[in-house]
Amino acid sequence: MPTAPDRVQPDAAPPAVVKAADALAEAARTGAVCPPVRTLFDDGDLETAYAVQQLNVQRGLAAGRRIVGRKIGLTSPAVQRQLGVDRPDFGTLFADMAVPEGGEVPAGRLLQPKVEAEVALVLGSDLPHLECTVVDLLRATEFALPALEIVDSRVQNWDISITDTVADNASSGLYVLGGTPVPLTGLDLRSVTMTMTRNSEVAAEGTGADCLGGPLNAAAWLASALAERGDPLRAGDLVLTGALGAMAPAAPGDVFEARISELGSVRVAFAAEGDNR
């Protein structure tokens, strides 16, 4: 991805941005959660929150991590109610966040994991438009996949506002993708139905329409927001379009599976306590 003109340079970042980024990075490194970072700058100041996020993204790149796409957060009314927010946000996906389908999340990898089921899109062409439309998404998307996003918060007890979650890379953790690509031709993502189970018991249900009226709507919002920032979505990018239902907390030993009509299923397990394979 090209360097966006508004990216914060580490040596030029305001002290509050550096302090918040340091707190979140230290929590991720040590496994010890931190207090809400919204206390370090004006709560609701989303531009500063995105500057915090971007600073840690740049640090990740400097450490050799590879960006593979973006995620959209807070698209489901159920998740918005859970977190007390009223708008979507976005974060960055790295290659080292991927868990193989049917794989296992090692014990201690995450701090406070929760799982949600989503539609993932993989792009076949760039989306540079400042006002991206659903038609643009239909043309640009190479295929869709069922996905599980394992969200996480570095903030103690998930005590977050939208400012905290934006700064914390949209509460990103890990993700799992189903293995069978499905082209969008003849597929209405608004009408797909989702059932997610935890240990074979239903943990969440929803439809494509529960994600900002449809996953393509969410992706169009993301594409426009990123193009406006000078860092547009590109061919090959993975886009996690947002939850189709409520988040479910994950505990050691849990097994999650989501089935999304027309797209198939995706599964992940969490290692038991003490299993550090």
Side-chain angles (χ1 to χ4, degrees):
M1 292 183 180
T3 300
D6 61 346
R7 287 188 174 178
V8 176
Q9 298 304 315
D11 58 355
V17 170
V18 174
K19 189 171 182 179
D22 286 348
L24 294 167
E26 182 70 3
R29 185 184 69 82
T30 64
V33 291
C34 66
V37 297
R38 62 182 178 270
T39 60
L40 300 176
F41 49 91
D42 290 340
D43 191 15
D45 181 355
L46 294 187
E47 286 309 305
T48 297
Y50 277 115
V52 174
Q53 178 189 131
Q54 190 57 49
L55 179 53
N56 277 334
V57 167
Q58 288 177 307
R59 290 169 169 174
L61 289 171
R65 302 179 77 188
R66 180 170 65 90
I67 293 175
V68 295
R70 302 292 182 123
K71 63 153 286 184
I72 311 167
L74 309 179
T75 55
S76 163
V79 173
Q80 289 183 357
R81 288 192 297 270
Q82 281 181 304
L83 297 183
V85 300
D86 61 359
R87 72 190 81 176
D89 66 352
F90 63 82
T92 297
L93 299 175
F94 290 96
D96 59 12
M97 295 165 61
V99 178
E101 201 284 322
E104 186 175 79
V105 178
R109 174 73 186 272
L110 300 174
L111 283 72
Q112 305 173 100
K114 300 183 180 185
V115 182
E116 54 192 34
E118 309 191 5
V119 173
L121 305 177
V122 176
L123 300 181
S125 57
D126 298 350
L127 283 170
H129 318 294
L130 291 177
E131 295 182 358
C132 185
T133 69
V134 167
V135 172
D136 294 325
L137 257 298
L138 286 167
R139 288 173 173 163
T141 299
E142 188 168 351
F143 56 85
L145 294 165
L148 291 171
E149 185 184 1
I150 306 170
V151 292
D152 195 19
S153 181
R154 273 52 67 175
V155 177
Q156 187 173 21
N157 297 324
W158 279 90
D159 178 14
I160 61 174
S161 68
I162 191 169
T163 308
D164 295 293
T165 188
V166 166
D168 194 18
N169 197 25
S171 301
S172 296
L174 305 171
Y175 62 87
V176 192
L177 301 176
T180 304
V182 179
L184 296 188
T185 304
L187 177 63
D188 182 1
L189 291 177
R190 296 171 301 174
S191 64
V192 299
T193 59
M194 177 277 294
T195 300
M196 183 175 74
T197 60
R198 177 178 53 208
N199 305 327
S200 301
E201 296 186 358
V202 174
E205 294 180 299
T207 70
D210 291 328
C211 176
L212 282 187
L216 293 177
N217 292 343
W221 171 85
L222 173 68
S224 298
L226 291 175
E228 184 177 355
R229 290 172 176 269
D231 192 14
L233 290 170
R234 298 294 188 186
D237 278 352
L238 166 68
V239 178
L240 296 182
T241 58
L244 303 182
M247 300 183 294
D254 281 348
V255 177
F256 285 83
E257 183 171 10
R259 295 184 178 276
I260 302 177
S261 63
E262 311 300 327
L263 295 181
S265 64
V266 57
R267 180 180 181 275
V268 73
F270 288 79
E273 289 278 18
D275 186 351
N276 293 311
R277 289 178 297 173

